[in-house]
Amino acid sequence: MIESQTLLPVLSRIAEALERLAPPVVSHSDLSAADAFVWQTKPEKLEPVAEVNRIEFDLLKGIDRQRESLLSNTLRFVQGFPANNALLWGARGTGKSSIVKAVHDKVNELAKTENFPRLALVEIHREDIPSLPGLLKILKNSGRPCILFCDDLSFDTQDDSYKSLKAVLEGGIEGRPANVIFYATSNRRHLMARDMIENERSSAIHTSEATEENVSLSDRFGLWLGFHNCDQDTYFAMIESYTQRYGIKISQEQLRAEAKEWSVTRGSRSGRVAWQFIQDLAGRMSVKIN
């Protein structure tokens, strides 16, 4: 008979081996735990975000049309009316991701007094797109209205995960769950590099068919919002709204001179450049920014 002291280590090793062979436990977070989440794939779970890094809705300047269009689309969605997936494309630093987070916050602010549920914001990283069907199943079962958000979405040569995204957005049998809407930002209007589209076009028997295959992904987004670098007056309006909001005391003449010099050193004028200037200015003047 094997003594218990000898048997216990053997059983422990067997249990450890079985645990390694078993599939990972899927951890599904409760969507009522927060208003924002980040989708994690190892293991699969929704990680709550206690405080979202965002800029207030009213501080977004120079993108009024885009801001109101996305807010209107989102309000229709959360109220149970038809709404479109949205693609926000254009120059870097022009407020594409900021507007999504600001609209999410604005809708939940309105939900305090209006008769519609609070909206969840769920971010999925570009590299986790293949896990999208599983995530959609979790969101669908929750019943809570959700913005599924992918920042800087684009595809390069040898990357065919865009095909699964196409099916999930509109083309699959199930389609998009009624309580989920998909918002994506990209520097590319058609989400793919120009050389990728050109290479497929040159190697295809029918070039028009190759082009259709590539641009059909962006066609899955019913709402397209373009973002472009701003002019100097809009750039100054951004700067001045920030100084008023955060109580930074500086003359308009000095503010504009420093802001102009800052944009020249960065080689562009955009919302991101304006915000970076304000952070530098507030730091130099010992003003804290929330």
Side-chain angles (χ1 to χ4, degrees):
M1 180 180 292
I2 301 177
E3 297 182 359
S4 59
Q5 292 182 346
T6 306
L7 185 59
L8 185 59
V10 175
L11 293 175
S12 297
R13 288 197 297 272
I14 293 174
E16 291 172 359
L18 291 174
E19 187 175 349
R20 288 194 296 271
L21 292 173
V25 177
V26 178
S27 174
H28 296 164
S29 299
D30 180 7
L31 263 78
S32 64
D35 283 335
F37 302 85
V38 175
W39 173 241
Q40 306 287 352
T41 58
K42 297 181 180 180
E44 289 189 344
K45 65 176 182 178
L46 289 166
E47 188 70 34
V49 177
E51 186 174 347
V52 178
N53 178 27
R54 61 162 57 98
I55 295 175
E56 295 174 27
F57 184 83
D58 294 334
L59 288 179
L60 296 175
K61 304 295 182 182
I63 48 176
D64 295 12
R65 182 186 61 82
Q66 297 93 325
R67 185 183 66 176
E68 296 303 325
S69 293
L70 194 65
L71 177 61
S72 177
N73 189 69
T74 309
L75 284 173
R76 290 196 299 270
F77 163 70
V78 80
Q79 291 168 347
F81 299 112
N84 279 306
N85 299 315
L87 174 62
L88 290 72
W89 66 275
R92 67 186 190 277
T94 49
K96 298 184 295 294
S97 60
S98 294
I99 201 173
V100 173
K101 293 181 285 187
V103 163
H104 168 251
D105 183 54
K106 183 68 174 179
V107 169
N108 281 345
E109 181 183 330
L110 294 172
K112 296 176 182 177
T113 56
E114 302 293 335
N115 187 27
F116 56 79
R118 292 181 67 82
L119 180 64
L121 178 65
V122 179
E123 181 175 16
I124 181 171
H125 297 136
R126 156 68 189 83
E127 59 271 17
D128 295 329
I129 287 295
S131 69
L132 191 53
L135 172 57
L136 286 177
K137 186 177 296 184
I138 297 171
L139 300 182
K140 179 180 179 180
N141 292 336
S142 76
R144 183 178 183 183
C146 303
I147 294 176
L148 183 54
F149 172 50
C150 185
D151 192 22
D152 197 19
L153 179 64
S154 61
F155 300 94
D156 294 312
T157 308
Q158 308 301 324
D159 186 351
D160 61 357
S161 59
Y162 72 90
K163 295 180 180 178
S164 62
L165 177 59
K166 284 167 59 176
V168 166
L169 287 175
E170 295 294 345
I173 295 177
E174 279 191 290
R176 170 171 56 88
N179 66 315
V180 177
I181 198 165
F182 191 82
Y183 288 173
T185 70
S186 178
N187 294 336
R188 302 168 180 168
R189 184 172 184 176
H190 293 299
L191 300 176
M192 298 180 181
R194 182 179 297 275
D195 60 348
M196 181 180 180
I197 296 177
E198 294 299 331
N199 287 340
E200 291 199 15
R201 181 185 298 164
S202 63
S203 61
I205 297 176
H206 299 288
T207 58
S208 61
E209 291 180 1
T211 303
E212 288 293 327
E213 171 70 13
N214 287 297
V215 302
S216 63
L217 174 57
S218 56
D219 283 346
R220 291 324 200 256
F221 296 88
L223 179 61
W224 286 9
L225 297 175
F227 291 73
H228 310 282
N229 286 322
C230 60
D231 57 26
Q232 183 166 277
D233 289 341
T234 303
Y235 175 68
F236 285 153
M238 295 176 183
I239 298 292
E240 290 165 4
S241 67
Y242 286 138
T243 58
Q244 294 172 9
R245 171 64 179 81
Y246 298 115
I248 301 174
K249 305 300 182 182
I250 185 174
S251 68
Q252 185 185 69
E253 182 179 358
Q254 182 182 354
L255 176 67
R256 291 192 170 193
E258 292 188 15
K260 184 176 181 179
E261 181 181 359
W262 183 273
S263 67
V264 170
T265 61
R266 297 304 303 269
S268 67
R269 289 187 296 262
S270 68
R272 179 179 296 162
V273 171
W275 178 247
Q276 290 169 343
F277 168 72
I278 286 297
Q279 288 181 305
D280 178 78
L281 178 65
R284 287 188 283 110
M285 302 188 71
S286 302
V287 175
K288 292 184 178 181
I289 291 179
N290 183 6

